[in-house]
């Protein structure tokens, strides 16, 4: 399992993960909707369960990915400021380059 976090996303995520109420939690990428050959993704703060893999990223943020979900392997988390500020999660390794 693999996950990439961009520099912009890492800055925003670290601010959230450093809050006292999030102590002991990790970032989780979830599939909010899947159809055809692509999926839509979301983020949550959680603790890993028995059916999860914790993936270390090069930005020092560990990410929880559910086992048995091939559309989670290779996800990329970015944070854009324009045209609208927010997270953008895609999976370029599966041909998913953004919402439609």
């Amino acid at each position: 399992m693999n996950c990439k976090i961009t520099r912009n996303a890492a800055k925003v995520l670290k601010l959230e993960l450093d809050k006292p109420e999030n102590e002991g939690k990790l970032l989780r990428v979830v599939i909010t909707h899947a159809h055809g050959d692509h999926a839509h993704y979301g983020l949550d703060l959680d603790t890993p369960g028995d059916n999860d893999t914790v993936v270390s990223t090069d930005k020092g943020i560990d990410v929880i990915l559910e086992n048995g979900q091939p559309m989670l392997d290779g996800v990329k988390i970015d944070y854009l400021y324009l045209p609208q500020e927010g997270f953008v999660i895609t999976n370029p390794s599966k041909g998913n380059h953004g919402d439609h």
Side-chain angles (χ1 to χ4, degrees):
M1 298 285 267
N2 186 19
C3 178
K4 170 110 174 95
I5 300 176
T6 66
R7 192 175 326 138
N8 281 348
K11 287 192 303 191
V12 176
L13 289 168
K14 284 180 182 178
L15 289 174
E16 191 63 32
L17 288 164
D18 287 344
K19 291 181 179 177
E21 64 266 29
N22 295 327
E23 185 176 345
K25 293 188 177 182
L26 300 176
L27 180 68
R28 177 185 290 275
V29 178
V30 297
I31 296 174
T32 58
H33 182 73
H35 53 94
D37 61 351
H38 72 281
H40 299 260
Y41 302 96
L43 299 175
D44 197 5
L45 295 179
D46 200 1
T47 54
D50 293 338
N51 195 37
D52 295 323
T53 297
V54 177
V55 177
S56 296
T57 67
D58 64 348
K59 299 297 186 282
I61 297 173
D62 290 338
V63 179
I64 304 169
L65 300 175
E66 183 180 346
N67 294 328
Q69 293 287 346
M71 294 303 283
L72 288 175
D73 188 19
V75 292
K76 176 184 172 189
I77 303 167
D78 198 359
Y79 192 86
L80 303 179
Y81 294 95
L82 295 172
Q84 182 176 328
E85 187 171 342
F87 287 101
V88 176
I89 306 155
T90 58
N91 193 332
S93 70
K94 304 291 189 231
N96 178 291
H97 298 281
D99 289 342
H100 52 86

